[in-house]
Amino acid sequence: MADDIKISIKNLYKIFGPTPDVALEHVKQGMNKADLLDQHNHVLGLRDINVDILDGKITVIMGLSGSGKSTLIRHLNRLIEPTAGEIQLNGEDVLELKEGQLRQLRREQMSMVFQKFALLPHKTVLENAGMALNIRGSSVADFESEAVKWLARVGLEGNENQFPHQLSGGMQQRVGIARALVSNSPVMLMDEAFSALDPLIRSDMQDLLLELQGELQKTIVFITHDLDEALKLSDHLVILKDGEVVQQGDPQDILLNPNDPYIVAFINDINRARVLRVRSVMNRTVDNDVDYAGDLLENDNLETVLSRSGGDLDKVFRVVRNGEAVGSLSMKELTLALVPTGEPTEETAA
Amino acid sequence: MATYDSLFSALGLKQWCAEGKADGPMSMADLLNKASGKSAEPESLWDLPFPSMDALNDSCAAFPKSRELTQGLEQGFLAIKDNLSLVLDPITQPLSWSLDGALYGMINTPWWIVIPIMLAVVFLVTKSWKLVVFVGASLCLLAFIDYYVYAMQTLAIIFVCAFLCVLFGVPIGIAMSRSNTMQRLTIPVLDMLQTLPPFVYLIPLIFLFSVTESKLYGIAIILYAIVPVVRLTNLGIRLVDKDVIEAADAFGMTPRQKLFKVQIPLALPNIMAGVNQTIMMSLAMVVIASLVSAPGLGVLVLRGIRNLDLGVGLIAGFGIVILAVILDRVTKASLARINASQNQ
Ligand SMILES: Nc1ncnc2c1ncn2[C@@H]1O[C@H](COP(=O)(O)OP(=O)(O)O)[C@@H](O)[C@H]1O
Ligand SMILES: [Mg+2]
């Protein structure tokens, strides 16, 4: 698959403090975050970040609180200026943009969804949804049909004339998403967009986002501190720790081959059977002599396979894609893949 | 002989002192001493005077007396006064016109037009019939006891001054909220305006403007009452939710759009609280300003004090209380409406 790179982040550094350039030299020589704070009173926000964000995909940035996720996402639309490095959108350098051009980019290329919703409290739901168009000069009459359409799409039909404070948190965030969609920008930045919501509502919102993404294929940068959420949403997963990328790639891959104790700790107590998919743990050979117990789809998760097996550990399944056999999976391999360690099974396909 | 003679001789300044031996103005204390025939010489250490300007002058005539300080200040002020009024007079002239106009309009429009208009405004800003009835009853009561004209004069002055306070105060507050330097420079001035007793800053104004001009009390009231609206505008804008500001930036608002679409609307509850205080302080000051010929209920209070006319003074005071309650209730009720429409 030839993926187009939408946003490219190269050697990005961010240091907070009065003289970041001086501190940058120390950081480039390898000083860590704690020492920099102790000895130079500067906060290391980001160190040498290199991430390519693919067009039409969901890139999830995950890390504990304070790891620099918000700082990183705010560099993309330059709400925060970098200390050093390069950011390109469609191959163009974002850092070169003048004030007016940058405003243009924020209006037309990137929209943002916030953890605390950040709606205008004195405006109705309709006016909030149309905010991006209003900023570009449209009146309510101009943007009404567009706003109503997207509000309905996120499940807010009939709430147009209410005020944000009259809605629940989940509904307010739906307005936040509608506001981003109405702006019709190809890139959506979502900073912990669902973290303030109750677990059930959060799961609904994740489903909504995936459903919308299936239709719209936006380039989404999604931030979370929740691994389950990251695994559910991500096409590409970036794990941050103390302002550094510790690992990035296909989420299934990271799960099977964590390269850092930090990540191992992260993934230790998730439900691997639900998250891992057949394609990540299957054997890429098909032996026609074997008596297969049945066919699996490559995107089935292992929980489905377990229930299909009925607890019989001797069974071997065939894996099919579009009706064609592409591999096999024995229950033995499956069981090994469920063991939560940093040691991956040998059969893992990259 | 005086206490500090030896000090001046020790410093070798005897010559210089003697040269100043002109007969300066004599203080009351000198006069009394002379009359009772006592010398100013202290008997013991217990009576040692503080080496103040006057005490040093006793020993050395060339040393200035403290009275010369106050006189110097006055002379200095008088010297620049003419130039200052040359500039200030034309700038402040519209204030006189608007005060005189408002006074003329309020008094010469018949009561059966003025009172309904006021009630309509009260209803518009508060949407509360209870308040309309209360305000109507209070105004009628004041009119019934023949205090209508005085009350209208007071209200006219308050309306003009409070309006100008908002007109200038809100932009100053906005400027303060956008620049920390501006805030650092403005806060001491506001502190001073707020802590100076109102009588004190009447003094330079009396020198600058003639007491017959209405701008004299207009300026006094505005200086006194503008402080809260400036402070609360600044505070209100600085307190606007950082997340909402970030959203405004992220969606590409210009600074101007941000100010008018986000900052001012979200700061409005605080700004309105400032307006309420500004109106209440105008009322307090308009009473004091009757000392410098501001018309209205304050004049009656003053007359009550001057002529020991207890009845007039008390009833005028009661009228002021009624106006205060009306203004406070009405502004608070409109403030509550704004709050209700945007609490999160
Ligand atoms: N304006 C700032 N000044 C100084 N330090 C900051 C600033 N913003 C963020 N930081 C620091 O940068 C680090 C990363 O913060 P942030 O990006 O908010 O983390 P996350 O979103 O992952 O919780 C933290 O250590 C934080 O204290
Ligand atoms: Mg954050």
Side-chain angles (χ1 to χ4, degrees):
Chain A
M1 201 161 34
D3 290 319
D4 293 330
I5 294 172
K6 185 80 180 171
I7 305 174
S8 168
I9 305 169
K10 291 189 186 131
N11 308 106
L12 187 73
Y13 287 83
K14 177 66 189 179
I15 292 158
F16 295 103
T19 54
D21 291 331
V22 179
L24 180 64
E25 291 312 310
H26 298 292
V27 171
K28 283 194 168 161
Q29 281 156 25
M31 186 176 278
N32 67 22
K33 182 167 177 164
D35 286 344
L36 189 76
L37 187 61
D38 268 359
Q39 295 167 24
H40 300 280
N41 218 4
H42 280 63
V43 179
L44 177 58
L46 296 172
R47 179 209 292 270
D48 199 14
I49 305 287
N50 290 283
V51 178
D52 286 337
I53 291 165
L54 299 183
D55 194 15
K57 294 280 155 76
I58 303 183
T59 300
V60 174
I61 299 171
M62 192 186 70
L64 296 176
S65 121
S67 57
K69 309 180 296 289
S70 298
T71 307
L72 178 55
I73 202 172
R74 276 163 182 68
H75 276 88
L76 301 182
N77 57 0
R78 274 177 66 194
L79 287 175
I80 298 180
E81 298 288 337
T83 306
E86 226 179 288
I87 299 163
Q88 291 178 346
L89 172 71
N90 301 326
E92 273 178 64
D93 192 351
V94 174
L95 302 177
E96 293 285 298
L97 299 182
K98 305 266 182 304
E99 204 181 309
Q101 295 167 309
L102 178 62
R103 214 155 29 229
Q104 200 77 7
L105 173 137
R106 290 175 182 173
R107 288 179 181 189
E108 289 165 14
Q109 299 293 318
M110 293 189 191
S111 52
M112 201 159 176
V113 182
F114 298 87
Q115 178 173 9
K116 292 182 194 144
F117 323 137
L119 303 173
L120 298 179
H122 62 295
K123 296 284 188 190
T124 61
V125 166
L126 182 75
E127 290 166 320
N128 267 294
M131 181 174 142
L133 296 182
N134 179 256
I135 292 172
R136 292 181 221 165
S138 311
S139 67
V140 178
D142 293 337
F143 66 66
E144 183 166 4
S145 63
E146 192 71 8
V148 168
K149 176 180 107 188
W150 286 113
L151 281 171
R153 188 63 195 80
V154 299
L156 287 177
E157 219 160 349
N159 299 93
E160 290 88 356
N161 293 317
Q162 285 183 300
F163 285 92
H165 66 90
Q166 296 170 307
L167 304 180
S168 67
M171 287 162 92
Q172 290 191 38
Q173 194 58 300
R174 283 169 197 261
V175 180
I177 292 175
R179 172 169 73 176
L181 292 174
V182 169
S183 89
N184 196 25
S185 57
V187 181
M188 257 170 94
L189 309 176
M190 306 181 77
D191 187 2
E192 306 224 17
F194 303 150
S195 297
L197 305 176
D198 301 333
L200 275 180
I201 299 179
R202 190 195 297 196
S203 167
D204 282 349
M205 297 294 281
Q206 292 161 357
D207 294 338
L208 173 71
L209 183 68
L210 287 174
E211 195 185 316
L212 287 167
Q213 176 64 357
E215 268 172 51
L216 304 170
Q217 271 106 43
K218 301 229 179 226
T219 305
I220 297 180
V221 182
F222 191 99
I223 283 187
T224 180
H225 58 247
D226 178 31
L227 184 64
D228 286 315
E229 185 167 69
L231 294 170
K232 181 167 174 183
L233 297 178
S234 63
D235 297 314
H236 184 83
L237 181 59
V238 179
I239 298 182
L240 274 187
K241 178 192 174 190
D242 290 344
E244 288 174 68
V245 175
V246 282
Q247 190 170 4
Q248 60 175 316
D250 176 14
Q252 303 269 315
D253 242 22
I254 294 179
L255 210 57
L256 292 168
N257 305 301
N259 71 1
D260 190 285
Y262 176 76
I263 302 175
V264 174
F266 240 127
I267 63 179
N268 253 346
D269 44 60
I270 61 155
N271 181 349
R272 295 167 71 90
R274 184 169 302 163
V275 175
L276 285 175
R277 301 192 183 272
V278 169
R279 69 176 148 86
S280 331
V281 294
M282 70 181 182
N283 203 325
R284 298 251 151 159
T285 56
V286 191
D287 189 344
N288 286 327
D289 300 340
V290 182
D291 181 19
Y292 289 113
D295 284 352
L296 299 171
L297 297 175
E298 63 170 354
N299 273 337
D300 282 341
N301 63 23
L302 300 192
E303 211 168 48
T304 323
V305 184
L306 278 171
S307 75
R308 286 272 300 277
S309 74
D312 186 348
L313 283 185
D314 292 331
K315 281 187 177 160
V316 182
F317 290 93
R318 192 165 64 142
V319 182
V320 294
R321 175 203 300 157
N322 302 331
E324 198 181 317
V326 289
S328 65
L329 180 66
S330 70
M331 289 305 290
K332 217 178 244 150
E333 289 162 336
L334 183 148
T335 318
L336 278 175
L338 291 180
V339 179
T341 59
E343 288 157 37
T345 50
E346 295 303 319
E347 295 83 355
T348 306
Chain B
M1 275 302 279
T3 329
Y4 292 101
D5 282 2
S6 45
L7 175 69
F8 284 100
S9 27
L11 288 172
L13 290 171
K14 264 224 130 51
Q15 186 71 31
W16 173 71
C17 286
E19 277 167 20
K21 203 106 193 152
D23 266 334
M26 205 175 235
S27 75
M28 198 65 180
D30 290 340
L31 218 61
L32 282 176
N33 279 340
K34 211 171 237 176
S36 60
K38 270 196 283 182
S39 80
E41 184 110 29
E43 273 91 45
S44 68
L45 199 61
W46 191 255
D47 293 319
L48 181 75
F50 186 85
S52 66
M53 294 176 79
D54 281 355
L56 292 172
N57 173 272
D58 277 345
S59 307
C60 169
F63 203 87
K65 286 190 165 197
S66 57
R67 259 185 66 182
E68 285 167 49
L69 180 74
T70 49
Q71 271 180 345
L73 200 63
E74 184 178 326
Q75 242 113 48
F77 190 79
L78 287 177
I80 57 164
K81 166 193 144 100
D82 286 336
N83 294 327
L84 209 56
S85 11
L86 208 64
V87 181
L88 286 181
D89 249 343
I91 301 181
T92 51
Q93 198 52 42
L95 178 60
S96 282
W97 293 332
S98 42
L99 281 168
D100 294 340
L103 284 167
Y104 181 86
M106 284 285 260
I107 294 167
N108 288 292
T109 314
W111 60 269
W112 45 267
I113 295 181
V114 173
I115 295 184
I117 289 181
M118 282 197 191
L119 296 183
V121 171
V122 169
F123 183 74
L124 264 181
V125 298
T126 64
K127 295 274 188 286
S128 149
W129 285 111
K130 246 167 69 184
L131 262 179
V132 172
V133 171
F134 170 72
V135 173
S138 308
L139 290 179
C140 289
L141 177 66
L142 284 174
F144 185 69
I145 59 175
D146 278 306
Y147 278 60
Y148 175 79
V149 173
Y150 297 105
M152 287 305 127
Q153 287 172 327
T154 300
L155 279 180
I157 297 173
I158 291 175
F159 290 158
V160 170
C161 293
F163 173 76
L164 290 174
C165 284
V166 174
L167 192 70
F168 294 114
V170 171
I172 296 175
I174 291 171
M176 275 171 79
S177 69
R178 311 195 119 197
S179 137
N180 286 333
T181 320
M182 178 77 185
Q183 173 170 267
R184 254 199 317 279
L185 294 178
T186 317
I187 282 186
V189 178
L190 295 181
D191 286 342
M192 193 192 72
L193 286 178
Q194 207 166 29
T195 46
L196 268 188
F199 292 106
V200 174
Y201 61 75
L202 285 180
I203 297 170
L205 291 176
I206 294 172
F207 276 90
L208 275 176
F209 305 103
S210 110
V211 185
T212 55
E213 287 177 297
S214 21
K215 62 184 165 195
L216 169 52
Y217 61 80
I219 293 174
I221 296 171
I222 290 174
L223 283 182
Y224 186 67
I226 201 172
V227 179
V229 73
V230 174
R231 273 194 206 280
L232 281 159
T233 302
N234 174 38
L235 186 74
I237 291 185
R238 282 175 185 265
L239 286 184
V240 169
D241 192 349
K242 293 276 174 297
D243 294 319
V244 180
I245 295 290
E246 190 169 53
D249 283 330
F251 279 91
M253 281 198 192
T254 61
R256 200 187 158 78
Q257 286 177 321
K258 209 162 57 174
L259 181 66
F260 288 106
K261 286 178 197 278
V262 181
Q263 291 173 308
I264 291 184
L266 294 202
L268 206 55
N270 273 315
I271 297 177
M272 283 306 291
V275 172
N276 167 273
Q277 285 188 33
T278 285
I279 291 178
M280 300 318 286
M281 287 175 73
S282 317
L283 179 65
M285 192 62 188
V286 77
V287 175
I288 293 171
S290 61
L291 281 173
V292 288
S293 80
L297 290 168
V299 174
L300 297 184
V301 176
L302 208 60
R303 191 189 298 164
I305 296 171
R306 222 184 273 142
N307 305 350
L308 290 181
D309 204 340
L310 184 66
V312 172
L314 282 185
I315 298 217
F318 168 71
I320 291 169
V321 172
I322 289 189
L323 289 189
V325 174
I326 291 177
L327 291 171
D328 189 52
R329 284 292 147 79
V330 172
T331 45
K332 288 241 174 80
S334 53
L335 175 62
R337 273 187 61 220
I338 292 173
N339 277 336
S341 73
Q342 39 170 272
N343 59 353
Q344 273 179 301

